[in-house]
Amino acid sequence: MKSPTHPLIDALHAHSPEFVDLRRDIHRHPELGLAEQRTSQLIADRLNSWGYAVHRGLAGTGVVGQLRRGSSARRLGLRADMDALPIQEASGLPWASVHDGVMHACGHDGHTTMLLAAAKYIAEQGHFSGTLNLIFQPAEEHPGGARLMIEQGLFERFPCDAIFAMHNMPGFPQGQLVFREGPTMASSDDVTITLTGMGGHGAMPHKATDAVVAAAGIVLALQTIVSRNVDPLQTAVVTVGAINAGRANNVIPQQAQLELSVRALDREVRDLLERRIRALVTAQAESFGVKASIDYKRDYPVLVNTAEETALARRVGIELVGEDRITPQAEPLTGSEDFAVMLEHCPGSYLMIGNGAGEGSCLVHNPGYDFNDDNVSVGAAYWALLAERFLVD
Ligand SMILES: [Zn+2]
Ligand SMILES: [Zn+2]
């Protein structure tokens, strides 16, 4: 397949050595969520030098760069995340992390760089009319910087008519632009169930109330929610990822604890899962004579891309790389993403850019993962073209 030749990609490609160096510098110095001090400083310094009005401090390390031009009242938000993961890097690359146990294994170093490369181009050569808000967000992986920025006034200070974000994705050819209207990433809820019985001697179970047996019964019963309560044409996941109870074979422990990850691609299914988990755990516990306490934490919501904004995002993708290098309506994913919270406040779309599908490509969150630097110019050109098409008189 011939490589994309849009003049914007060529223009961005001319500047790409500077930004490839920057991407590798950020990769070498990864920082965990809410601790992105160095990254935040580096972003703010560059935005300042290109003439952006720079605001710092939302969610601590968040940075917003604003550029206004012309007379249009339209306001666009482009968001990049900048946090790394608590993973020991094993890529063996010259630009591997210098921080033990911390690594950019999800390519957020690339997201930050693509948006910075676009920022420079737009400031120097961009044609637009309106207000451009570039949002650099901390803590996408944990504990959720999008919600913090919004709670601290992101959209009051920087109102947006639409907001967009882009994530790199292995498994798709390099530079492929992947779109989807509607529910695209799953909600993610964390549930901790504590079962309290009465401890006792392992030889005399009839004089105790066994929390372990209750826990085992509940784990199996939970499997019926997806298989028997959820519509077979809908998506749902109930995973019991941890069971903690007991320390010795001859002691019946007092307590058992279960930790669940619960996912759905539909808001009503999400509600159904919570109702069924609560009802089932409560009734099962009662039947075993133990007490159940349920700590149900709703974390990231379902990510829903709005129709009009996704249609625009797709048109811009086709204009930039051509029909055969886009996926117009991809399958949804059961992973989660905190940009979903921004989309609950503002219409917009979340797209993906293929990181390459060849041999040796691994999944994000793998200790060998690396962002594909050929995407710096493609991703930056995409942002620049989207800004030109959205911010018009
Ligand atoms: Zn990730
Ligand atoms: Zn990510």
Side-chain angles (χ1 to χ4, degrees):
M1 201 180 292
K2 72 177 175 27
S3 53
T5 53
H6 193 283
L8 247 180
I9 295 180
D10 296 338
L12 267 304
H13 192 70
H15 296 283
S16 74
E18 170 192 350
F19 287 99
V20 168
D21 287 348
L22 180 68
R23 204 286 294 178
R24 293 176 181 180
D25 178 71
I26 297 172
H27 190 92
R28 198 178 286 123
H29 301 98
E31 296 170 302
L32 292 176
L34 304 181
E36 305 93 336
Q37 264 88 18
R38 181 185 185 275
T39 313
S40 166
Q41 185 69 46
L42 172 161
I43 293 164
D45 288 348
R46 280 176 176 69
L47 291 175
N48 262 317
S49 74
W50 300 327
Y52 284 78
V54 176
H55 181 277
R56 301 188 67 183
L58 291 175
T61 51
V63 185
V64 183
Q66 191 177 68
L67 199 61
R68 289 182 193 201
R69 250 174 223 172
S71 54
S72 166
R74 285 167 74 81
R75 303 156 302 182
L76 172 67
L78 302 179
R79 171 274 208 178
D81 42 16
M82 53 187 188
D83 57 319
L85 283 155
I87 294 175
Q88 179 68 39
E89 180 155 1
S91 70
L93 293 164
W95 53 90
S97 170
V98 297
H99 299 313
D100 263 356
V102 187
M103 127 175 232
H104 270 296
C106 205
H108 299 181
D109 48 344
H111 304 165
T112 292
T113 307
M114 291 190 293
L115 194 54
L116 282 175
K120 185 181 183 194
Y121 175 85
I122 293 168
E124 290 176 352
Q125 301 174 60
H127 301 286
F128 71 94
S129 180
T131 302
L132 176 66
N133 296 310
L134 305 183
I135 300 162
F136 293 87
Q137 181 219 295
E140 189 284 322
E141 301 285 357
H142 182 80
R147 174 164 285 131
L148 291 173
M149 287 186 91
I150 291 166
E151 283 170 0
Q152 294 171 24
L154 174 66
F155 289 129
E156 283 82 48
R157 280 173 197 269
F158 305 100
C160 295
D161 300 310
I163 186 157
F164 297 84
M166 177 164 21
H167 204 294
N168 71 115
M169 192 50 64
F172 285 100
Q174 181 264 316
Q176 176 100 0
L177 297 172
V178 180
F179 303 92
R180 181 179 163 82
E181 180 195 323
T184 298
M185 307 272 292
S187 58
S188 172
D189 298 326
D190 306 329
V191 190
T192 302
I193 298 164
T194 306
L195 303 166
T196 307
M198 188 175 62
H201 199 294
M204 290 168 271
H206 59 297
K207 298 204 166 169
T209 310
D210 194 342
V212 171
V213 172
I218 287 170
V219 171
L220 290 178
L222 287 171
Q223 307 311 308
T224 65
I225 297 176
V226 174
S227 68
R228 303 292 87 182
N229 302 135
V230 176
D231 180 336
L233 297 177
Q234 294 275 11
T235 300
V237 179
V238 177
T239 290
V240 182
I243 307 181
N244 294 303
R247 302 176 63 144
N249 74 335
N250 61 351
V251 178
I252 292 170
Q254 186 97 356
Q255 275 198 342
Q257 206 167 63
L258 305 177
E259 291 187 41
L260 280 57
S261 177
V262 182
R263 316 261 174 158
L265 276 166
D266 175 277
R267 289 164 185 153
E268 282 176 27
V269 172
R270 186 188 197 191
D271 292 342
L272 169 73
L273 293 175
E274 175 167 358
R275 273 200 313 279
R276 287 300 299 146
I277 288 170
R278 286 185 183 281
L280 217 148
V281 168
T282 305
Q284 287 269 319
E286 200 187 327
S287 75
F288 285 108
V290 304
K291 255 203 225 126
S293 87
I294 304 169
D295 180 14
Y296 208 107
K297 276 205 198 78
R298 288 199 164 211
D299 202 0
Y300 298 169
V302 182
L303 185 150
V304 183
N305 287 329
T306 51
E308 200 182 316
E309 288 69 26
T310 304
L312 169 71
R314 205 185 275 128
R315 281 199 303 277
V316 169
I318 293 168
E319 183 182 346
L320 188 73
V321 298
E323 294 262 9
D324 49 357
R325 283 185 168 261
I326 74 145
T327 303
Q329 181 72 355
E331 292 297 316
L333 298 170
T334 51
S336 305
E337 157 66 53
D338 87 336
F339 185 64
V341 182
M342 292 198 181
L343 289 177
E344 286 193 323
H345 291 80
C346 183
S349 200
Y350 176 80
L351 65 130
M352 294 181 203
I353 181 165
N355 203 59
E359 212 175 300
S361 67
C362 55
L363 272 182
V364 288
H365 293 209
N366 181 291
Y369 192 73
D370 194 39
F371 179 84
N372 189 328
D373 284 319
D374 291 338
N375 276 340
V376 170
S377 49
V378 184
Y382 182 82
W383 285 143
L385 189 59
L386 181 67
E388 288 193 9
R389 293 291 171 265
F390 187 88
L391 294 172
V392 290
D393 282 314

